[in-house]
Amino acid sequence: TVRVNKYETTLPIRVDIEASLAYVLGPVTGLALLILEKQNDYVRFHAWQSSLTFSSLMLAQFILLFISNFLSWVLFFFNMFLLVWLTYRAYLDGASLERYEVPYFGIIASEYVDTE
């Protein structure tokens, strides 16, 4: 029989730290972990969620720059709050490997990871 360790990662970093790193630079670190981490589904879920969520929010931010400076700043502070919150949740849930899903993008990220 083959034993699978759900806490083992390709990179020599603990699973909770690696998952929280997916959010540090938004879609940049998310994409980097999608390329580098091939083994751990928990980390790949957070990398997908980070990439999808923050690339979409960056696009919305860019569009809002031309519409309203105030709304652009509101979205910026929301992005910063969400970034910190998701980093914290990825680290906190690393012990149980429970996936904290944001609406819409979390479901898509889960489906991507589950079908890989």
Side-chain angles (χ1 to χ4, degrees):
T1 62
V2 177
R3 301 185 98 186
V4 177
N5 183 356
K6 294 181 181 182
Y7 294 95
E8 190 174 339
T9 62
T10 305
L11 302 174
I13 304 171
R14 285 185 5 209
V15 69
D16 53 353
I17 294 173
E18 193 173 334
S20 60
L21 284 176
Y23 296 104
V24 171
L25 295 176
V28 175
T29 49
L31 289 172
L33 282 174
L34 281 174
I35 294 167
L36 298 173
E37 179 59 60
K38 301 289 183 194
Q39 189 172 0
N40 192 287
D41 285 348
Y42 182 72
V43 174
R44 289 190 60 80
F45 163 76
H46 284 288
W48 273 114
Q49 180 167 265
S50 173
S51 299
L52 293 170
T53 303
F54 290 106
S55 59
S56 299
L57 287 172
M58 282 176 62
L59 177 64
Q61 180 88 33
F62 180 73
I63 293 169
L64 277 177
L65 278 172
F66 298 107
I67 298 170
S68 169
N69 197 22
F70 174 74
L71 290 178
S72 179
W73 278 105
V74 169
L75 184 58
F76 173 77
F77 287 116
F78 173 75
N79 285 346
M80 292 299 105
F81 168 77
L82 189 61
L83 189 109
V84 170
W85 176 251
L86 291 175
T87 303
Y88 171 72
R89 286 305 306 239
Y91 180 79
L92 187 69
D93 296 337
S96 65
L97 301 180
E98 182 181 332
R99 294 178 181 174
Y100 182 82
E101 296 180 354
V102 295
Y104 186 69
F105 296 113
I107 296 166
I108 294 171
S110 245
E111 288 176 3
Y112 284 172
V113 169
D114 293 340
T115 58
E116 289 180 333

